[in-house]
Every structure is written in structure tokens, then in C-alpha cells.
Amino acid sequence: MAFVVTAVLLATCAIVSRAQDTKPAADTGAFKDKLEVCNSCHGEKGVAEMEGVPNLAAQPDLFIEWQLVYFRGETRMNDIMTPAAKDLTDQDIRDLGAYFPTLPPPPGATETDADPALTKAGGKLANDRHCAQCHKDDFSGQGEIPRLAGQREDAIIKALHDYQHGARRGRGNVIMPEIAYSLNDDDIKALAHFMSRQPAK
Ligand code: HEC
Ligand code: HEC
């Protein structure tokens, strides 16, 4: 499994040219205007208030870049994001990929846990299914593998269902669909509840 991941990451590095060292011009003209559109749904600091909209704060750069490439290329289908990414240039995508990792990570659900048993079940599943092997021990993600810690519960549930139903194919990356097929609805609920409550690190 580790070999597969390494191969995927190496392929990713080869495809996305990292040659340009341009800094994201978050505070200037055109990029700022684009970012304002993103922020209207994903939140001013990349922490979304709207149901079904994932947090982007502190997501790894390659994860942001690849998902935008998938939306733009229509291999990740979504009524909102596929059109939102349609006109992004490669440079926009690099700038956005450089920007979101600089934001402080989402704090994770802070209200009293209404269902500690579900959190515990989610933690046990995450351990049994080795989610940390790729998503890291603190679930902060790396490379093209997303942060799960502090992600919105509803967004995680939707993502796992989308992998099960083939709505997220990316570029034929079968890792998550394979994992998601083996989960039932109760597993998905427990994992999402657990991950959304993991603190920022
Ligand atoms: C009208 C609301 C809206 C706007 C504007 C918008 N997004 Fe999104 N975005 C969403 C929703 C909803 C999803 C979840 C899509 C899904 O369920 O597959 C999403 C998903 C994403 C994802 C994947 C995150 C993940 O965890 O899977 C990225 C990356 C992203 N958006 C970046 C952007 C960027 C960059 C912009 C600005 C260019 C932007 N979005 C503009 C609503 C929006
Ligand atoms: C072998 C590596 C690997 C393992 C193990 C793994 N993942 Fe993933 N995960 C990935 C990769 C790679 C992606 C990005 C895939 C893509 O481009 O859609 C991902 C994406 C996700 C997403 C989408 C998040 C978002 O914001 O879009 C969720 C949710 C997720 N994984 C949950 C889990 C859970 C829960 C487990 C354990 C049951 C797990 N993963 C185990 C590699 C892994």
C-alpha cells in the first residue's frame, strides 16, 4: 500500500510543474477578486459556514490543486464546483494551492459532544482501517491527501458516499473508492463524527 501511495505522489509531483516560484498575490487585484468568490462559500478564512461546503483552511497544497484540476476537467462532478473551476488558469490553481495551506486549520467541533459513543466508534474504525497511514496520525493530510481533522461532518459523509457512487473518480485514483465500498452507513457516520472533532494541529 505504501508503495502505491509513493508512486501516486511521485506521479503527482511530475505532472504538476513546481518550477514557478511565484508567490500567491493574495492581496492584489485579480487573485483577490477570484478569492472573494471562493470565500463567499468557503468562508473568509477557509472555514465554511454553509452546509455541504468543505473547509479549505490548512488543506495541503497539492490536494487543493488536484481537486481544482479534477473539477475543471470534469472528472470530479459537482453542480457548483465544476462550473466554478471551469475558467481557472493553471496559474490561478497554483496560487490557490499556495494560499489555503497558509490559513490556520479549522478548530474542529468545539460544542459539547452530543454522542461520545459515536466518536469512540469512529476512532476505533479509523484505527482498524488505518486511515492515519495516509492522512497522517493527526489527520492533517499531506501532499494530495486531504486533512480530515476538523473537516465538516456533512462534507466527510458526502465525500465517502460520492466515492461509493463513483461521483469522485479523480484521475482514476482507486484508493478511496475501494476503502469507501467497504464502509456501511453507520461506519461513515461514526468516522465523520470522529474526524470532524479532531483538534487543529
Ligand atoms: C457557490 C458556492 C461555492 C463557490 C463560489 C466555490 N465553491 Fe468550492 N466547493 C463548494 C461546494 C458545495 C463543494 C463540495 C463539492 C462536492 O460535494 O463535491 C466545494 C468543494 C471545493 C473543493 C474540494 C474540497 C474537498 O475537501 O473536497 C475545493 C478545493 C474548492 N471547492 C475550491 C474552491 C475555490 C478555489 C473556489 C474559488 C475559485 C471555490 N471553491 C468556489 C462550493 C463553492
Ligand atoms: C492508502 C491511502 C489512504 C488511506 C488508507 C485512506 N485514505 Fe482517504 N484519501 C486518500 C487520498 C489519496 C485522497 C484524495 C482522493 C481524491 O483525489 O479524491 C483521500 C480522500 C479522502 C476523503 C475526501 C476528503 C475531502 O475533503 O475531499 C475522505 C473523507 C477520506 N479520504 C477519508 C478516509 C477515511 C475515513 C479513511 C479510513 C477509513 C481513509 N480516508 C483512508 C488516501 C487514503
Side-chain angles (χ1 to χ4, degrees):
M1 195 62 106
F3 170 75
V4 175
V5 177
T6 311
V8 167
L9 291 177
L10 286 175
T12 302
C13 297
I15 295 163
V16 179
S17 162
R18 314 296 300 167
Q20 270 118 319
D21 264 340
T22 41
K23 295 264 175 304
D27 49 351
T28 59
F31 183 70
K32 193 167 173 228
D33 291 346
K34 286 211 169 92
L35 201 55
E36 258 167 33
V37 178
C38 317
N39 290 352
S40 68
C41 290
H42 289 281
E44 213 46 56
K45 295 257 186 261
V47 179
E49 307 271 334
M50 270 184 237
E51 184 142 346
V53 182
N55 298 330
L56 301 180
Q59 280 292 9
D61 55 354
L62 285 182
F63 173 71
I64 297 279
E65 290 184 26
W66 275 112
Q67 297 307 313
L68 292 173
V69 167
Y70 297 153
F71 285 126
R72 189 178 64 178
E74 300 187 1
T75 57
R76 178 171 173 185
M77 296 301 291
N78 179 260
D79 290 348
I80 296 168
M81 274 313 296
T82 307
K86 193 168 133 306
D87 295 326
L88 294 177
T89 65
D90 288 351
Q91 189 60 50
D92 292 336
I93 290 179
R94 277 188 213 107
D95 289 347
L96 291 161
Y99 171 72
F100 288 107
T102 66
L103 299 174
T110 45
E111 80 281 9
T112 312
D113 189 352
D115 198 343
L118 194 61
T119 309
K120 202 168 162 220
K124 183 173 183 311
L125 265 167
N127 190 42
D128 292 349
R129 304 299 185 101
H130 309 295
C131 309
Q133 191 190 322
C134 298
H135 290 274
K136 286 182 69 178
D137 284 345
D138 57 2
F139 306 109
S140 60
Q142 53 185 332
E144 68 171 320
I145 303 168
R147 160 185 292 276
L148 301 175
Q151 182 53 278
R152 290 179 61 97
E153 200 164 338
D154 53 7
I156 296 179
I157 291 176
K158 179 168 188 295
L160 292 172
H161 283 148
D162 283 354
Y163 287 123
Q164 285 183 328
H165 301 137
R168 271 181 83 165
R169 298 183 277 117
R171 70 195 135 91
N173 184 342
V174 294
I175 298 170
M176 279 313 298
E178 251 174 34
I179 292 169
Y181 288 141
S182 72
L183 301 170
N184 64 34
D185 272 2
D186 287 342
D187 296 341
I188 289 179
K189 269 192 214 138
L191 283 164
H193 194 69
F194 169 79
M195 292 298 178
S196 69
R197 311 197 71 82
Q198 294 311 295
K201 274 193 195 140

